[in-house]
Amino acid sequence: MRRFNLALLAAVALASGLTAVPAQAHTGRPLGLENCTAAGCHFDVPPGTYDVKVLLGGDAESHTAISGETRRSLLPETAAAAGERVSRSFTVNVRTPEGEPTGPDGTPGLDLVLGGSAPALADIKVTPARHARQIFLVGDSTVCDQPGDPYSGWGQQLPQYLRKGVSVANYADSGESTVTYLSEPRLWATVQPLIRHGDLVLIQLAHNDKTTDEATYRANLETLVAGVREKGGNPVLVTPIVRRWFNSDGTLNNGTALLVNGLGVDHPAVIRSVAAAEDVPLIDLTAKTKTLVESLGVEGSKAIYLYNEKRDNTHTSVHGATVYAGLVRDELLAQGLVPKGSVRVG
């Protein structure tokens, strides 16, 4: 996603008569364009879940995307013809810390950033979400809201695929295993009490279980599943994204790529087994990302990961995370885990 074109946005702001204003406490009435400047929008609201309705477009042809909080993609780039206005809505989770649960608090309130090749914001309204359904994410650095370029977790890109009424509460955290996620008070002990009846909880933990034996790994997954169900939530087990580690024949059929740890624990296989035994929906992201990466080949797959930037074959670029989030979106839809009308396709 492109950064702000400050010169263009300054012109848009001047044309719209926007001026910087002090943050205002939320009083129950919709918060709007008075909270925006050329640099974006800030809404002085407490943690919670909020519906955002935007009107995009201007005198010239425009292409606008919206991100927010810790680099979350909230709305994909949306085109509007010259003189046209396009309405879009989404629901966003505001929390402290606003990114990774063990990271810094971030900025209080809701912060939105305009992006796209030619952004134009004509109007905006922010109101508390009344009946939003949450998708909680439990995971590691391949899922989390990464704080800085060029990194991005697939959970950071998932919100752009969802419409108003469903929000992503991303509690994935860098470096976490099933062991540490359960033991760190800022993680599972914080997430579980927030789960409400009908919420989805997607669980992808494997990359950092390098020294976890199979019995412990299985028991930890079962604990997470039971904890979600205890609160009336719906657990979904997700096998880990592959590492970009090719064999000489162009396949990923090796332990490094397919997340088999030093003790011989085949993490995706254990996750599949637990999902079957506990009657839990499964998103086999290992299989799907393996197929995709092998189809792209050694060179084409570099753009999915951070090979060019960091020689990193584990973590994804913004592009890669967006592609992988799309795979998750497709499975949520195909398995009927979210209503069709709540998902953006195409």
Side-chain angles (χ1 to χ4, degrees):
M1 180 178 294
R2 294 191 179 186
R3 295 289 185 185
F4 258 122
N5 182 328
L6 292 178
L8 174 60
L9 288 176
V12 171
L14 289 172
S16 303
L18 301 183
T19 57
V21 296
Q24 298 175 359
H26 192 259
T27 59
R29 67 180 184 277
L31 298 176
L33 209 57
E34 70 277 4
N35 293 277
C36 300
T37 70
C41 302
H42 172 75
F43 300 93
D44 189 13
V45 295
T49 306
Y50 295 89
D51 290 331
V52 180
K53 182 177 181 179
V54 295
L55 195 63
L56 307 175
D59 293 339
E61 180 182 350
S62 63
H63 298 266
T64 309
I66 299 177
S67 61
E69 299 295 87
T70 302
R71 302 177 60 239
R72 297 182 222 159
S73 295
L74 300 171
L75 187 72
E77 187 162 318
T78 303
E84 181 186 10
R85 298 293 185 269
V86 175
S87 178
R88 293 289 186 270
S89 297
F90 54 89
T91 301
V92 60
N93 171 255
V94 176
R95 59 182 183 270
T96 304
E98 69 178 29
E100 294 182 85
T102 64
D105 284 353
T107 305
L110 171 61
D111 289 285
L112 302 176
V113 178
L114 298 183
S117 57
L121 177 65
D123 198 12
I124 185 168
K125 298 296 181 188
V126 175
T127 55
R130 299 302 181 191
H131 303 289
R133 186 183 187 188
Q134 299 274 29
I135 299 179
F136 288 91
L137 302 183
V138 170
D140 53 34
S141 59
T142 65
V143 184
C144 75
D145 288 347
Q146 290 280 0
D149 286 328
Y151 294 90
S152 180
W154 62 256
Q156 201 164 18
Q157 302 300 323
L158 185 60
Q160 67 184 297
Y161 290 119
L162 302 173
R163 300 181 188 274
K164 177 184 174 183
V166 181
S167 71
V168 175
N170 191 349
Y171 283 85
D173 197 70
S174 293
E176 306 300 343
S177 65
T178 58
V179 175
T180 60
Y181 204 94
L182 285 167
S183 63
E184 165 58 60
R186 291 171 291 181
L187 298 174
W188 186 238
T190 296
V191 176
Q192 191 195 19
L194 301 175
I195 299 169
R196 298 292 180 262
H197 181 77
D199 287 340
L200 287 180
V201 183
L202 276 56
I203 302 165
Q204 186 215 279
L205 287 166
H207 280 85
N208 300 300
D209 280 279
K210 298 174 183 177
T211 60
T212 309
D213 63 78
E214 183 170 340
T216 301
Y217 185 65
R218 178 181 294 272
N220 288 344
L221 292 175
E222 292 169 346
T223 296
L224 290 165
V225 166
V228 174
R229 286 174 165 166
E230 179 185 325
K231 293 296 183 178
N234 299 315
V236 179
L237 289 175
V238 183
T239 60
I241 67 170
V242 295
R243 294 191 179 98
R244 184 189 163 276
W245 199 267
F246 283 93
N247 298 322
S248 59
D249 63 358
T251 68
L252 299 178
N253 296 321
N254 59 77
T256 300
L258 300 181
L259 283 297
V260 179
N261 75 8
L263 300 178
V265 179
D266 185 332
H267 293 106
V270 176
I271 295 169
R272 295 177 189 120
S273 174
V274 172
E278 299 292 327
D279 193 23
V280 175
L282 173 74
I283 295 178
D284 199 341
L285 208 50
T286 305
K288 290 186 172 299
T289 55
K290 178 179 184 291
T291 298
L292 176 62
V293 171
E294 287 181 341
S295 72
L296 292 171
V298 173
E299 289 302 317
S301 61
K302 288 178 178 178
I304 295 288
Y305 291 84
L306 293 172
Y307 180 85
N308 294 323
E309 300 87 348
K310 301 286 186 179
R311 296 297 187 267
D312 187 332
N313 293 307
T314 297
H315 298 97
T316 48
S317 63
V318 170
H319 166 66
T322 302
V323 171
Y324 285 178
L327 296 177
V328 174
R329 179 271 316 268
D330 292 346
E331 279 299 296
L332 292 174
L333 195 55
Q335 296 189 40
L337 297 171
V338 293
K340 286 185 178 180
S342 66
V343 177
R344 301 183 197 279
V345 294

